[in-house]
Amino acid sequence: MTQILVVDDDPEIRSLLKTCFEREGYDVIEAPDAKNARAALERGTISLITLDLTLGRDDGLSLAREIRASCDVPIVMLSGKGDTVDRIVGLEVGADDYIAKPFSPREVLARVRAVLRRKEGGKASVAQPVSGHEVFRFGHWTLDITSRELKGQLNERRELTTAEFNLLELFVRHAHRVLSRDEIMDLLKGHDYSPLDRSIDALVSRLRRKIEDETDTEHIKSIRGVGYMFASDVRRTV
């Protein structure tokens, strides 16, 4: 059974989400603070987290960073702060989606379903259906599409969120082609991006930090006034 961890210091919000999710057949664990959230995550059975940005004395952003540093469980942030900057920061630290309060339980459920589908590789696929095993190489990286893994020169695995992996797959399949933000949004089917927000920029920034370093080339180039281009040579090996 899909298990959702609801992290919120407001008992009414937790109760509302618990009822909403359980009606759809999900198993729900509640956590009023970071300590209880960590304890739930240690059991290793959580499929998705809804995380409030403000948790009383705790900081939701710090907890999100901590979670993302150790695992790639999807995170849907819920917050009373609807400012664009807060949304971008939330996405930059690794959230898969961001919903401002007050919210409709139906909207939260729809977003959660979309994130879970992307995690499972359903509508998250950013390219045509794949047959066989596909592996791409660029720089010192190896991107295995079939197993959804990114490995470095020493065969070490680099953890990517579902959204980050989907974006990287999109880039390697369209190397040396300039993609506008609108094209990226269109190709990343299943994502609830708005042309008016900067979530694509935040996602690109997160991906850059994971695949570029001081000794490597610039894989993703910003094309001023247009969008982005994957500038590295890509080889398909399988």
Side-chain angles (χ1 to χ4, degrees):
M1 180 179 291
T2 300
Q3 194 168 73
I4 297 176
L5 174 61
V6 176
V7 186
D8 200 302
D9 63 344
D10 187 333
E12 292 185 3
I13 295 293
R14 294 200 308 273
S15 178
L16 174 65
L17 292 176
K18 179 179 174 66
T19 300
C20 173
F21 293 144
E22 287 185 338
R23 283 176 179 170
E24 297 301 315
Y26 296 121
D27 185 28
V28 179
I29 295 177
E30 298 180 56
D33 51 34
K35 179 180 178 181
N36 282 274
R38 293 187 191 100
L41 283 167
E42 286 177 359
R43 291 193 284 271
T45 58
I46 304 300
S47 303
L48 180 141
I49 303 169
T50 65
L51 174 61
D52 189 23
L53 191 63
T54 53
L55 292 171
R57 292 177 297 177
D58 295 321
D59 178 8
L61 285 175
S62 296
L63 180 58
R65 288 192 187 95
E66 181 183 328
I67 294 170
R68 188 54 71 236
S70 60
C71 66
D72 64 349
V73 60
I75 300 172
V76 176
M77 275 194 172
L78 306 176
S79 174
K81 296 182 177 182
D83 187 85
T84 301
V85 173
D86 292 312
R87 181 174 184 176
I88 292 172
V89 171
L91 292 166
E92 284 183 336
V93 301
D96 293 85
D97 206 344
Y98 185 109
I99 305 173
K101 297 178 182 178
F103 54 77
S104 160
R106 186 174 296 179
E107 178 189 7
V108 175
L109 182 59
R111 298 283 191 96
V112 163
R113 283 172 172 165
V115 171
L116 287 171
R117 284 197 300 267
R118 297 199 293 269
K119 177 67 176 177
E120 294 165 1
K123 290 190 177 180
S125 178
V126 297
Q128 63 273 21
V130 174
S131 59
H133 201 90
E134 284 192 306
V135 177
F136 294 90
R137 297 185 188 278
F138 62 93
H140 62 252
W141 297 104
T142 300
L143 183 69
D144 190 319
I145 303 300
T146 308
S147 64
R148 295 184 68 81
E149 290 183 331
L150 176 67
K151 293 184 178 180
Q153 192 170 15
L154 301 177
N155 208 38
E156 74 280 11
R157 182 175 177 179
R158 177 59 55 91
E159 293 292 336
L160 298 177
T161 66
T162 302
E164 291 163 358
F165 187 95
N166 291 340
L167 180 61
L168 181 56
E169 180 183 352
L170 172 63
F171 277 139
V172 299
R173 291 187 184 278
H174 298 83
H176 300 293
R177 172 184 162 188
V178 177
L179 297 172
S180 69
R181 290 174 179 80
D182 286 344
E183 286 180 291
I184 293 173
M185 286 184 248
D186 183 56
L187 290 167
L188 286 173
K189 292 180 174 64
H191 289 262
D192 298 309
Y193 289 123
S194 164
L196 300 179
D197 68 38
R198 296 185 59 200
S199 52
I200 289 293
D201 297 323
L203 183 58
V204 169
S205 177
R206 281 164 41 195
L207 180 59
R208 273 177 169 154
R209 289 197 295 267
K210 292 189 176 182
I211 67 173
E212 296 179 357
D213 54 49
E214 295 179 357
T215 62
D216 209 348
T217 57
E218 181 184 16
H219 295 300
I220 305 171
K221 287 190 176 182
S222 298
I223 308 300
R224 187 174 180 180
V226 182
Y228 299 97
M229 180 181 73
F230 198 75
S232 296
D233 291 330
V234 176
R235 294 177 293 115
R236 180 175 172 175
T237 60
V238 178

